[in-house]
Amino acid sequence: MNIKFIVVGKLKEKYFKQGIAEYAKRLTKFCKFTIVEVPDEKAPESLSDAEMSEVKEKEGERILDKIKDREYVYSLEILGKERSSEEFAKEIDQLATYGHSDLTFVIGGSLGLSPAVMKRANAHISFGRFTLPHQLMRLVLVEQVYRAFMINAGSPYHK
């Protein structure tokens, strides 16, 4: 199985990098894991609605350029569907069983995802209504992907 994260922006914080690297190493037992960073669009602090849409559209084009037709895409969205860890694990297992071996997770920039990216997604996932920094979301997501594999392997990690 191939797991890919497409994320907007660079990860600068050393402690996030270390945490993500640890889970990426653990994931090598279960899948090929990659992170693809696309540049964030530089924008001033206060933007009009039109400028916000333009920023999301440009970032969205960069994201869509990194997605292949065969990939099953999850977009991370506040209004996406919440799942328990067990439900998420079962979903990943079923996708693999039914021929979806390329899973891609998309984390947008500070303004969110473009409508085009949300439309391309096969599933929309939420980790609750909290707003989290996208750097932290990478760490949370990679841990949950690892947890899903551990649940599916019957490991006590999840307890």
Side-chain angles (χ1 to χ4, degrees), residues 7-152:
V7 297
V8 174
K10 288 243 180 269
L11 194 59
K12 298 170 189 77
E13 296 84 354
K14 186 177 175 184
Y15 51 93
F16 286 139
K17 286 181 181 180
Q18 290 171 330
I20 291 165
E22 175 60 29
Y23 286 108
K25 185 175 81 176
R26 293 180 187 189
L27 277 170
T28 59
K29 291 190 296 191
F30 303 105
C31 65
K32 180 177 180 250
F33 176 71
T34 55
I35 296 177
V36 177
E37 292 180 334
V38 299
D40 53 349
E41 190 64 22
K42 301 297 175 226
E45 282 296 313
S46 56
L47 296 172
S48 68
D49 288 348
E51 289 169 322
M52 279 193 231
S53 292
E54 189 177 325
V55 167
K56 288 195 288 189
E57 195 174 304
K58 286 179 181 176
E59 290 175 348
E61 289 169 6
R62 294 176 190 141
I63 291 167
L64 291 170
D65 282 347
K66 304 296 182 188
I67 298 173
K68 294 179 180 63
D69 288 345
R70 73 175 183 278
E71 293 173 17
Y72 189 93
V73 177
Y74 281 96
S75 61
L76 273 71
E77 305 173 33
I78 287 177
L79 298 177
K81 180 183 174 204
E82 291 184 43
R83 296 152 173 83
S84 68
S85 294
E86 295 86 356
E87 290 167 336
F88 185 52
K90 184 177 180 183
E91 199 170 314
I92 287 177
D93 190 49
Q94 287 178 335
L95 285 167
T97 300
Y98 293 104
H100 294 286
S101 59
D102 296 300
L103 303 184
T104 297
F105 295 85
V106 179
I107 302 174
S110 58
L111 298 177
L113 294 169
S114 72
V117 172
M118 291 187 281
K119 186 176 182 213
R120 169 57 181 90
N122 301 91
H124 312 275
I125 193 167
S126 173
F127 283 80
R129 295 181 55 194
F130 286 114
T131 299
L132 298 172
H134 52 276
Q135 301 92 328
L136 176 59
M137 200 62 242
R138 288 190 208 186
L139 179 57
V140 171
L141 179 60
V142 73
E143 190 282 334
Q144 284 299 302
V145 169
Y146 175 71
R147 181 177 296 272
F149 280 109
M150 294 302 282
I151 289 169
N152 290 337

